[in-house]
Amino acid sequence: MKGRKLLMIPGPIEFEPDVLQAMGMATTSHVAPNFIEVFGNSLELMRAVWKSPKGQPFIVAGTGTLAMDMAAANLIEQGDNVLVISSGYFGKRFKDILDRYGANTTILEAPIGEVVSLDTIEKELKARPYKALTITHVDTSTGLLVDPKPIAHLAKKYNTLSILDGVCSVAGEALNQDEWELDVVLTASQKAIGVPPGLALLIASEKAMQVWKNRKTPVPNYYADWNNWLPIMRAYEERRPSYFGTPAVNLIVALETSLKIICKEGMDNRVKRHQSLSKAFRAGIASLNLKILAKKNNIAANTLTAVYYPEGIDGAALSAKMVDSNVIIAGGLLPEIKADYFRVGHMGSVSSNDLIAVLGALERALLELGHLIVSGKSLQTFQNELLAAN
Ligand code: PMP
C-alpha cells in the first residue's frame, strides 16, 4: 500500500508521474548529444522560472545546502561582513556556512512567528558596510514568508549583494530575480521544482559573477568553485560536450521534464494556485481553532503551513494517526518549539484534493484523540474559500 500514501511534508514532495518516468530512463553518457540538449534546455528553462534572463544558472549534483555553500564559497572572502536575515532554522544554517568561510556575520532575528522589519535591516546596513546579505524566502522550519523585493532594493541602495535562499520557494512563491535585482537565488530539486532530491540549483546575477571574478583569494572549496562549473554550464548551453564532475544524468532529465511542466502552467498561474490553496488551507486550519506559527497571514508561506498542536494533544500520536490514514506530515524543526507543532507541505503539483485529504485525516485524528471539533468544519471552510476565490 506504500504507493497510496500521500507525502505532504515540505520536501521531498509528491512528484509528477512524468517526472518519475523521465528519471527511470536508461542512463546515457553525460556527453551524449541527447543529454547535452536536455542539460542546455534545463539551464534555459531555469531562467524562465527564476525570471532571470540575464542570470548565470548552475545545476550541480548536491542538495540545497550545497547551493548555499556554493554562494558563500564563491562570493565571500575572509573577514567580509555579511548580514543574515533569519526567520528560522535555515537562516542559522546560512550563518554557520558563512562563518565557516571566515565571514564576519551579523544575524538579525525576530520573535518566533514574526519577520525582521525593513527598518531594522536598513538600520544595520547603515551602521556598517556589508558585502552581502542573505534572506530566507520561506523558512521551512517556521513557514514564514519574507518579501525579498524591498530587501533586495535596500541591498542595492547600500551596495550589498543579496543572496536569496529559495529552497522552499522557487517555483512556488512569487519571484522575479532580475526585476528585483537579487544577486543569487538558490534552490534544491526536491521542493516546488518537483524533482527527487539531489540537485543544487542557483542563478547568479551579472554583478555577483563580477564580484566573484574580482576575488582576491582563491575559492576555498574545490567542488563548489565556479571556476570549475562555469565552463561546464557554458558548454552545455552552447550544446558542446564537457566534463568536470559527472552530472546527475537521470535527475537532470527529470529536471527538464519538470521545468517544462512548470513553464506550461506558467509561473504566474502557478504562484496563484499556491496562494489560493494555501489561503484556503489556512482558513480550514483556523476553523478548527488551530493556530499557525506565522502571526500574520501576509507572512505565512504559500508552500507550507506550520501549525501548533492544540493543547493536550500528543504530537507523535497525531502524526501516527495521520499515517494510519495514509497521510504523511512533518513534525517541528525549530529547536525551541520542536515538539509543539507540525508542518504540512503544499507545493509543486499539490492540488485541492491533496489538501482535502490532509484536513479530513487531521480532523479524524483530532477526534480520535479526544479533541473537540466539529467534524467536517475545516473541509467546509476549505471548500467555501476555494469557491469564493474562483
Ligand atoms: N534552506 C531551506 C529554506 C530549506 O527548506 C532547506 C531544506 N529543507 C535547505 C535550505 C537545505 O536544503 P537541503 O536539505 O536540500 O540541503
Side-chain angles (χ1 to χ4, degrees):
M1 293 293 280
K2 167 75 183 96
R4 286 180 53 86
K5 288 207 194 313
L6 189 58
L7 186 61
M8 296 300 288
I9 66 172
I13 61 162
E14 289 277 334
F15 300 116
E16 292 281 357
D18 283 356
V19 170
L20 295 176
Q21 212 164 3
M23 231 187 123
M25 66 140 212
T27 306
T28 61
S29 159
H30 57 285
V31 291
N34 62 332
F35 180 69
I36 292 175
E37 188 60 29
V38 163
F39 204 130
N41 285 342
S42 301
L43 292 165
E44 286 160 9
L45 289 163
M46 274 176 69
R47 289 209 183 88
V49 172
W50 271 242
K51 296 195 180 174
S52 178
K54 291 199 230 132
Q56 174 57 55
F58 292 86
I59 301 173
V60 176
T63 72
T65 307
L66 175 73
M68 297 165 86
D69 207 31
M70 198 176 237
N74 284 281
L75 295 175
I76 303 307
E77 294 183 71
Q78 192 85 27
D80 284 343
N81 291 336
V82 184
L83 184 62
V84 175
I85 302 159
S86 178
S87 43
Y89 180 92
F90 290 102
K92 294 199 177 86
R93 174 169 296 185
F94 229 149
K95 178 177 165 25
D96 286 349
I97 293 170
L98 290 156
D99 285 343
R100 191 65 71 89
Y101 291 110
N104 185 11
T105 49
T106 304
I107 188 163
L108 293 177
E109 295 175 284
I112 292 173
E114 296 172 36
V115 299
V116 179
S117 74
L118 281 178
D119 283 351
T120 309
I121 297 167
E122 180 149 26
K123 217 166 114 197
E124 195 53 49
L125 289 172
K126 243 186 215 159
R128 106 180 74 154
Y130 279 98
K131 164 101 168 267
L133 59 76
T134 70
I135 312 158
T136 316
H137 199 176
V138 169
D139 199 302
T140 321
S141 69
T142 51
L144 287 170
L145 171 70
V146 173
D147 183 0
K149 189 179 169 182
I151 304 178
H153 187 76
L154 279 181
K156 183 96 186 149
K157 180 171 168 190
Y158 290 92
N159 196 23
T160 299
L161 289 171
S162 52
I163 302 172
L164 185 72
D165 172 352
V167 172
C168 200
S169 71
V170 173
E173 300 283 359
L175 172 70
N176 196 333
Q177 179 169 1
D178 283 8
E179 201 183 295
W180 298 353
E181 298 185 281
L182 285 157
D183 289 302
V184 173
V185 177
L186 62 93
T187 193
S189 51
Q190 75 273 17
K191 303 213 187 213
I193 288 283
V195 175
L199 292 177
L201 308 169
L202 71 78
I203 294 192
S205 70
E206 287 169 322
K207 184 173 157 207
M209 296 309 290
Q210 205 56 50
V211 167
W212 164 72
K213 272 187 206 135
N214 294 341
R215 286 179 69 95
K216 294 192 185 70
T217 55
V219 174
N221 178 323
Y222 185 71
Y223 185 69
D225 190 345
W226 286 341
N227 277 305
N228 292 325
W229 292 110
L230 184 60
I232 307 304
M233 300 306 135
R234 289 211 169 125
Y236 277 116
E237 217 167 348
E238 290 160 13
R239 310 302 195 261
R240 288 185 284 111
S242 64
Y243 166 74
F244 167 62
T246 310
V249 172
N250 289 55
L251 280 171
I252 293 168
V253 173
L255 176 67
E256 187 206 23
T257 305
S258 195
L259 291 172
K260 280 183 175 162
I261 293 171
I262 293 169
C263 289
K264 192 163 172 223
E265 181 178 16
M267 268 316 299
D268 295 347
N269 290 337
R270 193 171 172 92
V271 168
K272 269 192 213 126
R273 172 168 59 82
H274 281 77
Q275 288 172 345
S276 61
L277 285 175
S278 64
K279 184 166 176 255
F281 184 68
R282 284 194 299 274
I285 291 291
S287 76
L288 299 175
N289 290 326
L290 300 184
K291 292 219 160 15
I292 66 169
L293 264 68
K295 289 198 181 140
K296 287 188 194 148
N297 273 328
N298 66 347
I299 53 165
N302 298 296
T303 48
L304 85 148
T305 302
V307 187
Y308 284 110
Y309 294 117
E311 200 132 322
I313 289 290
D314 172 359
L318 185 102
S319 291
K321 290 229 173 276
M322 301 274 293
V323 175
D324 288 344
S325 297
N326 288 319
V327 175
I328 319 286
I329 56 167
L333 182 59
L334 196 68
E336 301 92 301
I337 52 167
K338 197 171 161 43
D340 301 341
Y341 72 107
F342 63 94
R343 295 171 300 148
V344 176
H346 34 75
M347 65 188 116
S349 61
V350 66
S351 73
S352 53
N353 298 347
D354 299 330
L355 290 174
I356 284 172
V358 174
L359 290 171
L362 179 63
E363 284 196 359
R364 287 197 304 281
L366 287 169
L367 286 164
E368 281 169 21
L369 292 170
H371 188 64
L372 280 184
I373 53 161
V374 178
S375 175
K377 181 121 189 242
S378 70
L379 296 166
Q380 191 182 31
T381 307
F382 181 82
Q383 298 278 54
N384 288 342
E385 276 287 328
L386 273 194
L387 285 167
N390 289 328

